[in-house]
């Protein structure tokens, strides 16, 4: 029987309810020639992935993208199975029994390591866990961060590092206007953090942060922003490449960074310094294993074969006292049992979105990847839209060529019965909307945009209320 008709819809499982999952669902359901039914799975009861658990709480406007996701979710052919974990409640083999196609869009939830001595000292943490904690991710709500420390370093100068540095410097009044998790609001209220260093291994012209984000650091109400003048000046190579380039964004970025050079200490309680051309080579602890300092090496830049400027250590070292450190050097995807994985890149082994065997590169029929787990943790939320659309295009090509899975139970009713059996407490989209309403109501009571539920059991209580 032809797949993709009213009688026999194309049944697709999407794993991960973040932006990519929704963009893929939207592209699938917009299809005019093929009748598609989408079941979206997430291990959390709540949808939206990093829009809920990653985007900084003081960037509320960005979160309005979820309105578009809600429009997709309202379609009759869309179902949400929240609180259902692939690898625990259901397996890949199970999914192959119920769906013609599977898309993995579960992002990159782990982090990359620096690989230097002392990385495991008390006080050496990851930005990933701090971000998940302040955003109320249930798995991280009970983490503790020692904010009684005065000197904090953030390693890496991407936008996540910017978020972490900013949140450490926000006032309570500012945070009250956000949906930051209540436990984080409370902990940050008692924060003693006075000095924040954000440390980049390359120069201003190579910084991974975007212009809006670095500009924001210069506009904080509670912190003066600084750079080290020699580090903010471009080296000859960077200057030459920038002069020859038409990249106005980077020229502007360098301008914003250099505008911090004349800054002087004011009566603001905190100081935030963005450093360039420095790499930590060792974290130094005291006799109790508590982080106390970091040894940094000064870098110089050289042009690599691909034309980019890369850092190279010099012989110049310095020691910086810090008691708390967040490693923010990029996210990393995790494997799922039964799905080929490229461990060195931290992504599902794939060819443009088609899952392929890691060794032979042979296509695994019916399985696809999209978003960060396909290409790695790069780009902004919107970058995932064309990425998801590209994967869906391949899915349609494969469907037309008759290359799909052949599930024994290809109906919506059978899939639902199976999910119910595996995880009786699964969340539907209606359950989520009820939770959403309850969070907004709690927010209203406290004069905040939203107060998040951060415990699964509390979420379940709202569902069954
Ligand atoms: P990122 O943009 O890739 O930045 C990673 C940073 O870590 C870079 O500065 C990188 O330096 C540095 N790094 C990597 N390895 C290092 C090492 N061994 N030692 C020292 N530094 C090292 O990653 P991210 O900040 O985690 O962000 C992930 C993605 O989410 C990005 O695309 C980001 O733009 C996006 N995002 C966007 C927003 C927003 O739009 N507001 C907010 C948060 C995240 P090199 O450049 O030298 O490699």
């Amino acid at each position: 029987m032809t797949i993709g008709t009213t009688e026999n819809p194309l049944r697709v499982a999407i794993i991960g309810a973040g932006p990519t999952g929704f963009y893929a669902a939207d592209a699938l359901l917009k299809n005019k020639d093929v009748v598609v039914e989408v079941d979206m799975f997430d291990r959390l009861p709540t949808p939206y992935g990093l829009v809920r658990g990653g985007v900084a709480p003081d960037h509320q406007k960005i979160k309005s993208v979820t309105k578009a996701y809600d429009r997709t979710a309202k379609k009759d052919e869309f179902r949400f199975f929240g609180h259902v974990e692939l690898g625990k409640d259901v397996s890949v083999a199970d999914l192959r029994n119920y769906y013609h196609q599977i898309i993995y869009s579960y992002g990159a939830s782990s982090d990359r390591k620096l690989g230097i001595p002392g990385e495991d000292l008390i006080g050496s943490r990851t930005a990933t866990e701090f971000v998940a904690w302040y955003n109320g991710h249930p798995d991280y709500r009970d983490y503790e961060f020692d904010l009684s420390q005065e000197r904090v370093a953030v390693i890496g100068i991407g936008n996540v590092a910017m978020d972490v540095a900013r949140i450490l410097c926000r006032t309570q009044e500012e945070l009250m206007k956000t949906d930051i998790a209540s436990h984080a609001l409370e902990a940050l209220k008692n924060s003693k953090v006075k000095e924040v260093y954000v440390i980049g291994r390359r120069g201003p012209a190579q910084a991974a942060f975007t212009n809006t984000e670095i500009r924001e650091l210069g506009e904080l109400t509670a912190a003066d922003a600084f750079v080290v003048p020699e580090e903010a000046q471009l080296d000859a190579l960077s200057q030459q490449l920038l002069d020859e380039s038409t990249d106005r964004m980077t020229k502007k970025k360098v301008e914003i960074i250099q505008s911090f050079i004349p800054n002087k200490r004011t009566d603001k309680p905190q100081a935030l310094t963005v450093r360039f051309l420095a790499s930590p080579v060792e974290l130094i602890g005291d006799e109790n294993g508590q982080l106390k300092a970091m040894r940094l090496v000064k870098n110089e830049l050289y042009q690599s074969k691909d034309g980019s400027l890369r850092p190279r250590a010099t012989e110049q070292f310095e020691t910086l006292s810090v008691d708390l450190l967040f490693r923010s050097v990029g996210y990393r995807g995790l494997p799922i049992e039964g799905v080929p994985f490229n461990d060195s890149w931290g992504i599902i082994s794939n060819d443009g979105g088609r899952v392929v065997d890691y060794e032979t590169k042979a296509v695994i029929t019916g399985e696809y990847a999209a978003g960060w787990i396909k290409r790695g943790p790069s780009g902004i939320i919107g970058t995932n839209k064309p990425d998801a659309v590209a994967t869906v295009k391949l899915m349609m090509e494969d469907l037309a060529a008759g290359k799909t899975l052949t599930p024994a139970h290809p109906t919506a009713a059978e899939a639902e019965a199976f999910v119910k059996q595996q995880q009786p407490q699964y969340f539907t989209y209606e359950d989520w909307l009820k939770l959403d309403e309850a969070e907004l109501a709690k927010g209203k009571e406290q004069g905040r945009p939203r107060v998040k539920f951060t415990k699964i059991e509390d979420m379940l209580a709202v569902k069954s209320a």
Side-chain angles (χ1 to χ4, degrees):
M1 191 163 43
T2 314
I3 302 167
T5 61
T6 318
E7 300 73 42
N8 188 27
L10 175 74
R11 306 251 323 123
V12 181
I14 297 182
I15 311 304
T20 304
F22 277 100
Y23 293 132
D26 180 55
L28 283 162
L29 297 178
K30 269 191 181 147
N31 221 298
K32 293 228 164 32
D33 310 320
V34 182
V35 179
V36 186
E37 287 177 356
V38 165
D39 286 352
M40 182 181 281
F41 291 77
D42 201 286
R43 70 189 192 87
L44 290 181
T46 52
Y48 311 147
L50 278 186
V51 176
R52 181 176 166 100
V55 170
D58 60 339
H59 280 174
Q60 286 292 307
K61 264 195 206 148
I62 296 181
K63 298 187 183 225
S64 58
V65 320
T66 58
K67 289 201 182 101
Y69 309 157
D70 290 343
R71 281 196 293 277
T72 303
K74 277 209 183 96
K75 296 192 175 173
D76 290 341
E77 301 79 15
F78 177 96
R79 282 192 311 196
F80 180 57
F81 289 132
H83 194 33
V84 181
E85 185 169 345
L86 180 62
K88 189 175 134 213
D89 302 312
V90 297
S91 69
V92 171
D94 293 332
L95 294 179
R96 290 187 188 125
N97 252 331
Y98 289 88
Y99 298 93
H100 298 108
Q101 293 180 328
I102 305 165
I103 309 177
Y104 304 106
S105 57
Y106 60 85
S109 56
S110 187
D111 57 274
R112 290 178 39 209
K113 289 221 168 346
L114 287 168
I116 58 171
E119 203 162 351
D120 296 323
L121 284 169
I122 301 166
S124 166
R125 312 292 295 266
T126 70
T128 344
E129 58 191 18
F130 188 58
V131 168
W133 170 77
Y134 67 58
N135 276 322
H137 189 297
D139 292 355
Y140 297 84
R141 65 177 308 284
D142 296 323
Y143 278 48
E144 283 177 15
F145 296 91
D146 185 4
L147 300 173
S148 69
Q149 304 293 354
E150 293 190 357
R151 297 164 65 87
V152 183
V154 185
I155 309 301
I157 49 171
N159 282 333
V160 171
M162 297 293 107
D163 288 348
V164 168
R166 229 178 36 252
I167 293 299
L168 286 169
C169 295
R170 285 284 185 211
T171 64
Q172 274 290 300
E173 201 187 347
E174 288 166 336
L175 292 175
M176 277 295 287
K177 294 184 193 140
T178 77
D179 65 352
I180 191 166
S182 303
H183 54 252
L185 187 67
E186 190 57 30
L188 285 159
K189 189 166 151 190
N190 302 315
S191 163
K192 298 278 181 293
V193 173
K194 283 201 170 64
E195 302 263 355
V196 178
Y197 299 93
V198 193
I199 300 178
R201 61 177 171 181
R202 296 191 287 164
Q206 297 82 34
F209 51 64
T210 40
N211 292 0
T212 317
E213 277 63 30
I214 183 66
R215 195 180 286 114
E216 254 186 308
L217 288 196
E219 293 165 352
L220 292 170
T221 56
D224 294 314
F226 300 101
V227 287
V228 176
E230 310 84 84
E231 293 174 356
Q233 301 298 353
L234 295 193
D235 59 290
L237 212 47
S238 299
Q239 188 67 59
Q240 185 200 334
L241 289 179
L242 197 62
D243 288 345
E244 290 165 1
S245 118
T246 52
D247 177 359
R248 284 173 50 207
M249 297 289 257
T250 304
K251 289 182 196 216
K252 188 72 206 168
K253 184 183 289 182
V254 173
E255 227 177 275
I256 299 168
I257 293 165
Q258 294 182 345
S259 75
F260 294 180
I261 293 177
N263 286 358
K264 297 265 177 312
R265 201 79 174 87
T266 68
D267 56 2
K268 293 184 184 180
Q270 292 171 305
L272 195 161
T273 307
V274 187
R275 301 279 313 260
F276 297 97
L277 293 167
S279 287
V281 285
E282 184 185 359
L283 304 185
I284 302 159
D286 64 11
E287 62 284 6
N288 301 318
Q290 161 65 46
L291 173 71
K292 282 284 144 199
M294 169 172 53
R295 195 151 184 258
L296 289 168
V297 67
K298 185 177 169 48
N299 294 327
E300 59 186 14
L301 297 174
Y302 71 95
Q303 195 156 23
S304 70
K305 279 190 194 126
D306 67 6
S308 66
L309 297 193
R310 305 297 315 157
R312 179 164 58 202
T314 67
E315 298 283 304
Q316 270 174 273
F317 295 89
E318 71 172 294
T319 302
L320 189 68
S321 301
V322 284
D323 308 289
L324 179 63
L325 173 142
F326 295 104
R327 185 166 82 223
S328 183
V329 295
Y331 284 77
R332 190 184 150 78
L334 291 174
I336 276 194
E337 202 187 326
V339 183
F341 196 71
N342 181 333
D343 197 49
S344 40
W345 293 2
I347 59 171
I348 286 178
S349 170
N350 76 93
D351 180 9
R354 283 189 182 105
V355 177
V356 297
D357 183 90
Y358 182 63
E359 299 295 338
T360 65
K361 308 293 173 225
V363 170
I364 310 285
T365 302
E367 294 184 41
Y368 303 85
W372 279 10
I373 199 62
K374 162 182 166 184
R375 69 172 195 278
S378 64
I380 56 170
I381 294 169
T383 314
N384 296 301
K385 189 168 184 172
D387 182 301
V389 168
T391 294
V392 168
K393 191 165 173 274
L394 298 181
M395 294 166 72
M396 291 301 127
E397 280 173 24
D398 291 350
L399 172 70
K403 293 177 193 158
T404 66
L405 292 164
T406 46
H409 310 287
T411 68
E414 286 170 300
E416 188 175 353
F418 176 70
V419 170
K420 208 172 202 163
Q421 172 198 309
Q422 299 300 106
Q423 173 49 288
Q425 293 180 306
Y426 73 89
F427 266 59
T428 63
Y429 214 74
E430 286 66 39
D431 292 332
W432 151 245
L433 291 175
K434 199 169 157 192
L435 194 65
D436 183 39
E437 218 172 89
E439 288 189 343
L440 293 173
K442 277 208 325 176
K444 205 166 179 199
E445 273 168 29
Q446 298 182 25
R448 299 182 53 202
R450 159 188 310 272
V451 172
K452 285 180 180 174
F453 288 96
T454 60
K455 273 191 201 162
I456 302 282
E457 63 202 70
D458 293 346
M459 298 182 188
L460 288 170
V462 174
K463 170 182 156 74
S464 54

